[in-house]
Amino acid sequence: MDEEFSGGAGDITERGLRYTKDQLEQVLEQTEDYVRENPGRSIAYALVAGFILNRLPIVRIFSALTRLVLIAFKPAILAYGATKLYQAAQGEES
């Protein structure tokens, strides 16, 4: 019975991966066609995107996210340990 569910999950995963790959290829083809039809506009868009990305404080954003994860990690470990301790105590009572 478990094999039936795992086989279905693998099939769903493969179909999802195939669908995602097809969609990515389609987006890349559309982008390539657009760039070939509008080279000047594409260069302008690329320059604007590069300028915006250059001005964004990406390093600060990533460092803030890292600090947030590290701060949240300690209480998460504490809650996980307390849950396991509670489960162990419940198992001994039964």
Side-chain angles (χ1 to χ4, degrees), residues 7-8 26 41 43 51 57-58 61 67 70 81 93-94:
Q26 186 178 11
R41 186 178 285 177
I43 290 174
F51 180 76
I58 293 175
I61 291 171
R67 282 193 307 258
L70 290 175
E93 288 179 5
S94 296

Side-chain angles (χ1 to χ4, degrees), residues 25-45:
E25 288 175 0
Q26 186 178 11
V27 167
L28 289 175
E29 288 174 7
Q30 290 174 352
T31 304
E32 186 177 322
D33 292 341
Y34 180 82
V35 169
R36 288 183 192 274
E37 293 173 5
N38 304 308
R41 186 178 285 177
S42 300
I43 290 174
Y45 287 155

Side-chain angles (χ1 to χ4, degrees), residues 29-93:
E29 288 174 7
Q30 290 174 352
T31 304
E32 186 177 322
D33 292 341
Y34 180 82
V35 169
R36 288 183 192 274
E37 293 173 5
N38 304 308
R41 186 178 285 177
S42 300
I43 290 174
Y45 287 155
L47 288 173
V48 169
F51 180 76
I52 290 171
L53 288 174
N54 187 29
R55 295 294 174 201
L56 286 176
I58 293 175
V59 173
R60 280 192 246 161
I61 291 171
F62 282 131
S63 65
L65 278 174
T66 303
R67 282 193 307 258
L68 183 63
V69 166
L70 290 175
I71 289 170
F73 188 67
K74 291 178 186 178
I77 292 294
L78 180 64
Y80 179 75
T83 304
K84 288 297 182 182
L85 186 63
Y86 177 76
Q87 288 175 350
Q90 291 295 325
E92 289 178 7
E93 288 179 5

